[in-house]
Amino acid sequence: MNHSFFFTPFSPVAILFIATFFLLAKKASCTDPQFLACEPKSCGDQKISFPFHIQNAQEEYCGYPGFAVSCNEKNKTVLSLSDNEYIIQEIYYQNHSLRLSNAVGFGKNTSCSPQIQNISLNGDRFRQSTTRTGLFFFYNCNSALLGNDSKLLKHKFCSGESANVSTLAMLDDDPLLGSASEKCGAGVVAPVDVYRGENVSIGKMLERGFVLNWVASNCSECDESGGRCGFNITTYQFKCFCPDRPHARSCISGEYFFSS
Ligand SMILES: *[C@@H]1O[C@H](CO)[C@@H](O)[C@H](O)[C@H]1NC(C)=O
Ligand SMILES: *[C@@H]1O[C@H](CO)[C@@H](O)[C@H](O)[C@H]1NC(C)=O
Ligand SMILES: *[C@@H]1O[C@H](CO)[C@@H](O)[C@H](O)[C@H]1NC(C)=O
Ligand SMILES: *[C@@H]1O[C@H](CO)[C@@H](O)[C@H](O)[C@H]1NC(C)=O
Ligand SMILES: *[C@@H]1O[C@H](CO)[C@@H](O)[C@H](O)[C@H]1NC(C)=O
Ligand SMILES: *[C@@H]1O[C@H](CO)[C@@H](O)[C@H](O)[C@H]1NC(C)=O
Ligand SMILES: *[C@@H]1O[C@H](CO)[C@@H](O)[C@H](O)[C@H]1NC(C)=O
Ligand SMILES: *[C@@H]1O[C@H](CO)[C@@H](O)[C@H](O)[C@H]1NC(C)=O
Ligand SMILES: *[C@@H]1O[C@H](CO)[C@@H](O)[C@H](O)[C@H]1NC(C)=O
């Protein structure tokens, strides 16, 4: 065998090498700017990518409308939903869900002042999952009215409050709920996930938070084809940003035959 055949200047193999090199070089030199812009970013150890985008750190077109988050000074991802701020504990991209906890209730030092507000998922972006329960907070309970009601006093949530006012917390299936709202007035409800047969403290429940499902375009086809998902707000259409150009669904050609 004469090996030099393959690498003589004008052998077909050498031409193929050279052509491939120039093709790759050309491709690399003009990578689509939206593909570059939508590289996933991190907040703490949480990867942020479509449908989320970090406000002021990623282009809006890298996310789906309604999924803007921010990254706070403690490297926690923050999502605002109906006037409450929630810490995103974990994003489960594979099943389109995320675990949130109320930012004011987070950590050891749970606030006793009425900062938790009712959540209302009136938009169509987020839906509650099935394990969800309500955790009622009654702020400003009149201590004199609570009196010696030892059952209710067991639900006192905060210590070190003024002697006149107490905060009670209980799950929405608690038999004392009626009696508490009689003595304390309207409460606010924080969603929590409660699993059958478990025994965890209310502080732990708040910290653990709750799971919501989200509704947005499915990114997996584009992602698996090497693209980065995005959304064009002008045309209100999903986009798959690929190294060469934006595609409709996936970077693999032939998409027009399969697009829905
Ligand atoms: C947050 O993350 C950035 C980048 O990873 C790091 O430089 C910074 O020290 C972190 N800040 C905190 C409070 O952990
Ligand atoms: C997204 O699409 C993939 C197939 O492309 C499918 O396997 C997956 O279940 C879908 N995810 C959701 C949350 O619908
Ligand atoms: C999605 O998957 C994660 C991890 O597997 C799980 O903890 C979470 O509960 C799932 N979400 C829903 C809505 O079932
Ligand atoms: C807990 O919160 C109270 C009131 O907001 C504050 O005065 C106190 O310093 C906090 N304690 C800790 C350990 O953060
Ligand atoms: C609470 O109990 C104490 C002692 O048991 C009693 O003196 C007091 O009257 C009780 N107060 C009310 C409001 O029931
Ligand atoms: C608590 O109640 C006492 C008498 O019932 C009253 O004098 C005092 O001002 C109250 N304190 C607060 C902080 O409301
Ligand atoms: C919060 O929601 C609960 C239950 O739906 C309701 O009873 C309560 O009045 C609401 N509180 C406020 C301040 O809207
Ligand atoms: C739950 O745990 C607490 C202490 O962690 C314990 O005092 C209580 O009896 C437990 N309740 C049940 C129903 O197991
Ligand atoms: C959205 O689509 C319009 C029309 O095709 C185009 O002019 C515009 O540049 C696109 N915007 C983004 C952010 O891709």
Side-chain angles (χ1 to χ4, degrees):
M1 280 294 259
N2 181 358
H3 290 276
S4 71
F5 164 79
F6 291 100
F7 295 104
T8 52
F10 299 104
S11 80
V13 176
I15 288 169
L16 199 71
F17 271 134
I18 291 162
T20 309
F21 175 80
F22 278 107
L23 218 69
L24 286 176
K26 184 172 185 292
K27 211 172 171 178
S29 68
C30 58
T31 306
D32 184 70
Q34 291 180 312
F35 173 81
L36 292 175
C38 294
E39 186 179 17
K41 285 219 162 26
S42 290
C43 177
D45 50 15
Q46 176 63 62
K47 187 189 93 174
I48 307 294
S49 64
F50 187 89
F52 299 93
H53 83 275
I54 305 176
Q55 266 170 315
N56 306 322
Q58 278 169 311
E59 295 290 345
E60 200 176 1
Y61 58 69
C62 302
Y64 194 83
F67 286 80
V69 297
S70 55
C71 187
N72 74 10
E73 68 286 351
K74 290 178 182 152
N75 283 344
K76 300 275 184 200
T77 315
V78 178
L79 174 72
S80 297
L81 282 180
S82 65
D83 297 337
N84 285 326
E85 284 203 332
Y86 294 93
I87 304 287
I88 298 185
Q89 303 285 355
E90 206 163 353
I91 302 178
Y92 310 111
Y93 289 101
Q94 79 283 5
N95 59 9
H96 287 199
S97 65
L98 75 172
R99 197 158 45 79
L100 299 173
S101 61
N102 204 304
V104 291
F106 181 72
K108 303 273 178 287
N109 194 12
T110 303
S111 174
C112 291
S113 55
Q115 291 185 54
I116 294 178
Q117 287 159 32
N118 278 347
I119 189 173
S120 70
L121 298 169
N122 46 8
D124 49 7
R125 300 278 183 263
F126 297 97
R127 307 219 169 122
Q128 66 183 66
S129 82
T130 47
T131 45
R132 204 172 112 180
T133 308
L135 178 58
F136 267 83
F137 282 92
F138 296 100
Y139 296 108
N140 297 317
C141 281
N142 186 323
S143 298
L145 279 178
L146 289 180
N148 291 353
D149 192 331
S150 60
K151 282 185 181 161
L152 276 182
L153 288 173
K154 271 191 191 147
H155 288 86
K156 264 183 81 157
F157 185 58
C158 300
S159 49
E161 292 179 294
S162 87
N164 298 0
V165 198
S166 306
T167 300
L168 301 186
M170 61 183 71
L171 293 176
D172 60 8
D173 59 358
D174 198 294
L176 293 173
L177 194 68
S179 152
S181 63
E182 250 171 49
K183 290 182 168 140
C184 306
V188 297
V189 193
V192 287
D193 284 342
V194 178
Y195 302 96
R196 192 193 295 270
E198 71 171 3
N199 179 15
V200 297
S201 71
I202 280 173
K204 268 268 177 294
M205 270 180 208
L206 274 180
E207 202 173 312
R208 183 174 66 191
F210 56 99
V211 174
L212 289 182
N213 295 309
W214 75 67
V215 180
S217 309
N218 185 341
C219 181
S220 55
E221 193 186 347
C222 171
D223 189 41
E224 279 158 21
S225 74
R228 291 171 185 160
C229 300
F231 198 85
N232 186 321
I233 208 84
T234 317
T235 59
Y236 218 78
Q237 263 180 342
F238 175 82
K239 283 283 159 204
C240 183
F241 299 127
C242 301
D244 60 343
R245 61 180 172 84
H247 291 239
R249 302 214 58 80
S250 133
C251 301
I252 296 164
S253 54
E255 59 180 330
Y256 298 107
F257 299 105
F258 300 108
S259 63
S260 51

